Structures are given as structure tokens and as C-alpha cells.
Amino acid sequence: MTQTPSVLVVGAGAIGSFYGALLKKAGCHVSVVLRSDYEVVSQSGFEISSPMGNLSWQPDRVYRDGDRPDAAPDYLLLCVKVIPGVDRAALVRPWMGKNTTLVLIENGLDIERELADTYPANPLVSCLAFIAVSRTAPGQVSHQAYGQLVMGNFPKGFDSHCERLTGLFREAGIKVDQSQAIVGERWRKCVWNAAFNPLSVLCNGADTLTMLDAEGGEVLIRNLMREVMAVAKADGYPLPEDLVEKNIPGTRAMGAYKNSMALDYLNDRPIELDAILGNVVAIARQHQVAVPHLETILVALRMRQPSS
Amino acid sequence: MTQTPSVLVVGAGAIGSFYGALLKKAGCHVSVVLRSDYEVVSQSGFEISSPMGNLSWQPDRVYRDGDRPDAAPDYLLLCVKVIPGVDRAALVRPWMGKNTTLVLIENGLDIERELADTYPANPLVSCLAFIAVSRTAPGQVSHQAYGQLVMGNFPKGFDSHCERLTGLFREAGIKVDQSQAIVGERWRKCVWNAAFNPLSVLCNGADTLTMLDAEGGEVLIRNLMREVMAVAKADGYPLPEDLVEKNIPGTRAMGAYKNSMALDYLNDRPIELDAILGNVVAIARQHQVAVPHLETILVALRMRQPSS
């Protein structure tokens, strides 16, 4: 590894350009691979407004999808959405070197496996991002709040690559929680996401309070959360019994909130249905855990969405 | 009762004007109460195209909502939708005489009770209509197919009023199935309707084949039907065990079909959510039958619909 770490961000949308900005700020060489926005970003870089200050930056190199790299990066940040039709293992192939550490900053559950299977010799760092950030125009990103990461190796542990990345991100000003059991952290986040996100899409983009306050709404959401917890437990990741009891008032305290999947739906973008819910139901089936509420929502959304 | 039966149709939409036409054809005096279409129907009556021939007719009297009747009818056909905000017991009050037989031609389950409780001394005839009919313009109705009724007294039996009505409808050319247990017949129809109709709305008006052919779709629909059957059984109306096995291929044989609730949804009309599904879940709760799949769909739709 070089003295100055080299980073390549694949899928430099809102999330990718934000975390790329932080690593740039921490002194790394940071390049990006873009599908859209290539012209704008090549010329003017990313403009990022943020409560952390101005995070605008110019990548060291801007690649197009399909370009060949000059050299493999030390860290490859994969920040694309996890949706059908996007073969993530194929997407990173041209950029993966022998010593490249693959870093996933993506939502969902069981989203690491296909990459771990394809690149068994490369270190794999799995991150959950707690952040409100959105792309407002080509090359323009609005960071509204938060930004902390939970990080660990997949499927478990916390190696020197995690240590080094943690240091860089902290240097740039964000909080990183180090986890020896990142899969458990994904399950924990999934308890909220699997309950609220797909249901909000079924409800045409409803906000959290509309959902909780409908007749029977809070009971349904508790049932959905409990089903996710039962699957997590069967999968070897028992979560604290009072998680549901904490999630509900915590959600109410946020006020009426439209989650990212609701926003994707309302903006005609594809939704991460399998990453957030389909994989939970698949794991439930492996362990023969009954998840009738989750299953109903999953299938209803599949009936709506032509699968690709 | 007079020699020539007098009939008043309250809610003369597609269904009401069709069955009113048949009773007119059978020689009754038939008047109607209208909320919309009053001017057109007063002047030109109903134009009804039908594979049975021309069923256009002029009502003997056309009342507006709020008018006072000249005399109470022998038969009051109530054909309004069963939706929140429509107080059906109040709606018929001005027209109910001591000897008026109340005839419901309406969809759903447990929709008779509030009328039976309000008018305990009046005979109550409950009918299920199997018909494809729609209002195409003010005063204009297109009857596409079917038309048979299943008829009986609520909650059970088959009295002389049912007999007389059966004779009149048969004279006009439609099939009437006489039932001693109309509630059981409502449960039987509900197995299909409670499974397909609300789910089709959640799926933004999907047709039957789209729903059945989605990944997990047929399994979900079978589960929904089985839950309805379990509630029916607990409520004292066991249905044939093979009903689900017959319903699925029967539905496939119809081809891609948009049910009436899907059409209501797609045309921005209110949906009969409680009549078709809410009442099933309420009865399940009384009998402590678990209906997680039905419940998920009901609550998701309530989250979408502002309740009135």
C-alpha cells in the first residue's frame, strides 16, 4: 500500500460523493467512476453543501463506466444501489487489484455475500451509513444531517484496513462505530427498515406518522419488527428484546419522516426491495421462521413491480 | 301489499338501475331515489345496453335524496355502496313503511346487521349479485355479462317475500339461487373478494393474472383465502375444503381480470374496504383467529386511505 492511500469510488451518487469528499479531505487520492454526470463532474467536480461546511471537491481522476484504470486502488468504495439488474461483482471487476480492499457503503441485509464469494482473497469492509443526503442536480449534492458509519469486516471482525479507514473518516470529522459483528448491526438497522420502508411504498410514499397513526398501524409495525427480530435470532444475531419498544417512540420523536425508499419510489427511482426485505424473507424461509406480515408486503410489492 | 308490487330503488347506480329495470319488466311499479343524475333520469330514464336486449326504462317516479314519498313501497331495494360516511339506515328511513320489505343488493360481509338492528320489524332480504355492469354516463348503463342473484333472508331462512321476488326476477329473465343460509353464501363469495380485491388496490389496480403470476403471488392469495375460510368456520359457516383449490384455476380461466374494487380505485371512487375485508378481520378478532396476511393488507390500505 502506498503512503497516500488511493481510493476509487464506484457509484459516486449522493452517498459515494459524500464519503469520497471526506477521504479526500483526509488526504487520500480519490477518483470516481460515474455512469451519469460524467461531463459535469469532470469539469467542475462535486458541489456538496453540508452542515459540516463546504465539502465540494474535485476527484483526482474521473472515469467512465467501462474505462480501464491506471492502477488498482487501495480502497474501492462501492456505493451503488442494491437492485436487480445491477451486477455489483461485475461492476467492480476492472478496478479490483490483488491488494484492493473492497468497502461497501450500502443499505440492506446479506448484500456482501456475492462480493465475498467473487473476491475471496480481498479484504471486505462492510459499512452502514446513517445519513440524510441527496443528489439535487448533476454533480450537486445536499447533505442535510448525520453521516456516521458503523463499520466492520464481513462476516465478522475488525482488521487493520478497518482501523485505517476509521482513522481517515474520523480525521475528516465523522463518527465511526467499530463493530466486530457487522451482520448483527445490519440486522439491527433492518428491524426498522424492513418494517417501514417497503410498507411506505405500498402506501404510496406515506410518512412515518401517517403509518403509525392509521387504525392498526402501530400494531402492524410492531409485528413487522418482531418478525425481523425472530429471523435475526434464528440466523444467530439475537437483538435486545426491548428494541421494538425503543424504535416506536424514537420514530415518533423524529416527526413525520419520509424514508429513503419512499423517496426513491416518489421520484420514480428503483427501490432496494430485496436488500431491505426480500433477503430477510429468504433467510426466514431457510430457518423456517414464519413471517406472514413481512411476506404479504414483499409479495404485494412484487405484484406491483415488474421484476427485472 | 297491493296487487301490483311497488318497488323503490335507493341508490340507482349501475346495479340499482339494472335490477330496477328487471322488476319494471316483470310488471312492478318502480320508482328511484337519486343523488346524482336526477335531471337526466327524470327526463329520459335509464338507457341500459345489455346482452339480454334493450333494458332501457322510465321509472314511475324519480325522487331526489331528501324528498318525501307519496307512499311507502312494498320493496325497498338498497343498492348503495357500503362505505364510511354513508349511513344506510338513515338513508332509507324516509321511505320505510310498516310493511316495507328491505332488499339489500350489496357486496360484502356482515353488511345487514345495522339495518336489521334499526328495522327489526321489517322483513330483510339479502342478495348477492354476480354481475358485470357499469355506469358509462349520467343515466347510461352498460350491462356486460351475468346478473344472477343469490337470495335469502338475513340472517337465515327464505320467506314469502323472497319467494315473490324470486318469481319476479325469474320472470324478467335472470337466474336466482335461493339460499336458506345467505350469510354462508356471503362468506363463500368473500373468500375470493377479500383475497383479491383489496390486494389489487394495494397493487395499484393490478389484474388477477398479474397478481397470481408475481413471485410468491399464488401462495399469498391461497394464504389469504385460507384465512377467510378459517374465520368463516369459526363464525359457524364452514366452507368446502377444496374451495381454494377450485378458486385458483377458476380465476386463471377468466383471464386477466380487474375486479370491481380495482376499478373503483382506478376511477377515484371510494372502495368498500370494511364490507369486503375490515369486517372479516373484525370477526376474526372476535373468534381469536389469526389472520396476519389479511390484517397486513387491511392496515396498509388504511394507512393509504384517510379514513372518513
Side-chain angles (χ1 to χ4, degrees), chain A residues 223-266:
Chain A
N223 281 331
L224 291 165
M225 288 182 172
R226 285 202 198 95
E227 287 183 359
V228 179
M229 289 178 64
V231 184
K233 192 174 179 182
D235 200 42
Y237 298 93
L239 295 166
E241 288 296 332
D242 62 351
L243 185 56
V244 174
E245 290 317 308
K246 284 184 175 164
N247 268 347
I248 300 288
T251 303
R252 287 194 179 279
M254 291 193 308
Y257 168 70
K258 284 192 196 279
N259 64 63
S260 61
M261 193 184 277
L263 294 175
D264 282 343
Y265 169 77
L266 291 170

Side-chain angles (χ1 to χ4, degrees), chain A residues 199 201-204 206 210-212 214-221 223-224 227 265 285 291-304 307, chain B residues 199 201-204 206 210-212 214-221 223-224 227 265 285 291-304 307:
Chain A
L199 183 56
V201 175
L202 264 190
C203 299
N204 290 340
T210 300
M211 293 163 76
L212 282 169
E215 186 183 343
E218 192 172 315
V219 172
L220 174 60
I221 286 164
N223 281 331
L224 291 165
E227 287 183 359
Y265 169 77
R285 219 163 277 157
V291 290
H293 299 91
L294 292 171
E295 214 162 42
T296 303
I297 289 166
L298 176 66
V299 175
L301 282 170
R302 284 187 176 152
M303 285 176 175
R304 252 160 68 137
S307 63
Chain B
L199 183 56
V201 174
L202 265 190
C203 299
N204 290 341
T210 300
M211 296 163 75
L212 282 170
E215 186 183 344
E218 192 173 315
V219 171
L220 175 58
I221 286 164
N223 281 331
L224 292 165
E227 287 183 359
Y265 170 77
R285 221 163 274 157
V291 289
H293 299 90
L294 292 171
E295 217 161 42
T296 303
I297 289 167
L298 176 66
V299 175
L301 282 170
R302 283 186 177 151
M303 286 176 175
R304 250 157 73 132
S307 62

Side-chain angles (χ1 to χ4, degrees), chain B:
Chain B
M1 195 175 287
T2 55
Q3 285 298 87
T4 304
S6 66
V7 175
L8 182 72
V9 182
V10 175
I15 294 267
S17 62
F18 175 80
Y19 289 102
L22 297 183
L23 293 175
K24 183 75 189 164
K25 196 174 161 191
C28 303
H29 285 124
V30 185
S31 298
V32 299
V33 184
L34 293 175
R35 281 196 296 183
S36 49
D37 302 358
Y38 175 84
E39 299 298 339
V40 170
V41 175
S42 295
Q43 295 206 352
S44 323
F46 292 102
E47 276 185 48
I48 307 181
S49 65
S50 167
M52 295 169 68
N54 182 10
L55 289 177
S56 300
W57 63 296
Q58 182 67 47
D60 289 278
R61 289 286 303 268
V62 180
Y63 296 102
R64 278 183 218 267
D65 221 4
D67 282 354
R68 306 283 308 171
D70 299 328
D74 298 324
Y75 294 103
L76 191 157
L77 262 62
L78 181 58
C79 304
V80 297
K81 285 187 135 192
V82 183
I83 49 177
V86 176
D87 181 342
R88 293 177 302 142
L91 198 62
V92 302
R93 183 160 295 124
W95 320 93
M96 288 292 288
K98 195 165 164 270
N99 298 310
T100 299
T101 296
L102 189 50
V103 184
L104 308 187
I105 308 183
E106 293 174 310
N107 243 325
L109 193 89
D110 204 29
I111 58 157
E112 302 95 340
R113 197 166 307 273
E114 70 175 289
L115 293 153
D117 290 349
T118 310
Y119 305 104
N122 292 78
L124 180 47
V125 178
S126 178
C127 301
L128 281 166
F130 292 79
I131 187 166
V133 64
S134 55
R135 173 184 172 284
T136 51
Q140 296 193 15
V141 169
S142 166
H143 172 223
Q144 291 104 36
Y146 317 114
Q148 69 266 31
L149 293 173
V150 180
M151 186 188 292
N153 291 108
F154 179 80
K156 61 183 177 182
F158 197 88
D159 67 8
S160 61
H161 304 289
C162 288
E163 285 290 1
R164 195 171 184 201
L165 271 174
T166 300
L168 292 165
F169 279 121
R170 284 179 178 167
E171 206 171 304
I174 63 154
K175 191 163 172 276
V176 180
D177 286 341
Q178 306 188 337
S179 174
Q180 293 285 339
I182 189 68
V183 176
E185 296 300 326
R186 286 195 177 270
W187 275 114
R188 181 195 297 271
K189 191 172 185 187
C190 208
V191 170
W192 198 96
N193 283 347
F196 272 104
N197 292 19
L199 183 56
S200 72
V201 174
L202 265 190
C203 299
N204 290 341
D207 65 60
T208 44
L209 292 191
T210 300
M211 296 163 75
L212 282 170
D213 290 339
E215 186 183 344
E218 192 173 315
V219 171
L220 175 58
I221 286 164
R222 282 172 193 270
N223 281 331
L224 292 165
M225 289 183 173
R226 285 201 198 97
E227 287 183 359
V228 179
M229 288 180 65
V231 184
K233 192 174 180 183
D235 201 42
Y237 298 94
L239 295 165
E241 288 297 332
D242 63 351
L243 184 56
V244 173
E245 291 316 308
K246 283 184 176 165
N247 269 347
I248 300 288
T251 303
R252 287 195 179 278
M254 289 193 310
Y257 167 71
K258 282 191 196 281
N259 64 63
S260 60
M261 193 183 277
L263 293 176
D264 281 343
Y265 170 77
L266 291 170
N267 289 289
D268 284 322
R269 296 187 296 253
I271 61 169
E272 296 181 294
L273 184 59
D274 285 327
I276 302 296
L277 179 57
N279 293 350
V280 175
V281 172
I283 294 170
R285 221 163 274 157
Q286 285 165 27
H287 297 298
Q288 300 185 298
V289 176
V291 289
H293 299 90
L294 292 171
E295 217 161 42
T296 303
I297 289 167
L298 176 66
V299 175
L301 282 170
R302 283 186 177 151
M303 286 176 175
R304 250 157 73 132
Q305 286 220 312
S307 62
S308 50

